[in-house]
Amino acid sequence: GLYLLLPFLQAIFKAIRGKPTLSLYFMAVWVVITCVPLHFPVPLFGIMQQTTFLGYGGYFIVGGLFVTCLKDNIPTAFWVGLYLVSSVVTFLLTWSFSDMAGAPSEAAYVYFTLNVAIATLAAFKAFTRVKTGPRTGKILNWISDRSFLIFFVHVLVLEQVRYSAIIMSLS
């Protein structure tokens, strides 16, 4: 679905890219409406019938804003550290939620939880700083050019694995 919305998402990105206040506003609204309620429910959003703000499309736009608008003077070590801290928070939340439920809980791993969003954006920012040689760059470009196909095929592979697991459980 995101690929169908890319022209719309690109238009939003282009409209806010050169405007720091609007970019910050967009990121704040996306985080508050999409991420925060997963750990801290906000009844007002239910009343407004607003439970998400662009969903995964928000990741596209926020990622683009991070790369193009965020000052590049923040050290890579900060982004790596932020990723590690967010990952530890995810681990601790998972342990706590599982302990409270008395069963394994993956609630802290939901893609829109604040801890996962921060870890994702920090890892993304750190990866944008990685310098590659010409050969590695060519390999990464080759993979990047095929990312849609790889993404599409992985769904088919997962469905085949799920189907095989169902067949094996019946025998």
Side-chain angles (χ1 to χ4, degrees):
L2 280 179
Y3 289 101
L4 293 173
L5 293 176
L6 273 178
F8 174 69
L9 297 172
Q10 186 178 24
I12 294 172
F13 175 73
K14 284 181 178 180
I16 64 177
R17 179 176 56 193
K19 301 171 181 136
T21 305
L22 194 54
S23 297
L24 186 60
Y25 175 75
F26 177 89
M27 288 188 283
V29 168
W30 183 75
V31 166
V32 168
I33 292 177
T34 304
C35 302
V36 170
L38 293 173
H39 288 306
F40 308 101
V42 181
L44 178 64
F45 295 155
I47 294 168
M48 293 171 34
Q49 296 184 358
Q50 188 64 50
T51 56
T52 185
F53 179 64
L54 291 178
Y56 290 109
Y59 266 121
F60 271 60
I61 296 170
V62 171
L65 292 172
F66 257 56
V67 169
T68 60
C69 300
L70 199 62
K71 292 184 180 177
D72 220 17
N73 57 0
I74 300 171
T76 303
F78 170 81
W79 297 113
V80 171
L82 186 58
Y83 170 77
L84 293 173
V85 167
S86 298
S87 296
V88 168
V89 167
T90 302
F91 166 79
L92 293 172
L93 286 172
T94 300
W95 175 69
S96 176
F97 294 162
S98 297
D99 188 50
M100 286 188 299
S105 171
E106 295 181 1
Y109 282 96
V110 174
Y111 295 135
F112 294 122
T113 55
L114 192 55
N115 49 291
V116 171
I118 291 170
T120 300
L121 293 168
F124 179 70
K125 190 64 175 172
F127 279 123
T128 62
R129 304 275 184 91
V130 173
K131 304 291 183 220
T132 61
R135 181 179 167 106
T136 306
K138 285 181 182 179
I139 293 168
L140 292 174
N141 282 336
W142 185 86
I143 292 170
S144 177
D145 289 343
R146 286 147 185 85
S147 64
F148 177 72
L149 178 63
I150 292 167
F151 177 78
F152 182 72
V153 168
H154 100 278
V155 174
L156 299 175
V157 170
L158 289 175
E159 282 302 309
Q160 184 60 40
V161 168
R162 186 173 70 85
Y163 176 74
S164 298
I166 291 170
I167 297 298
M168 290 175 63
S169 70
L170 295 175
S171 52

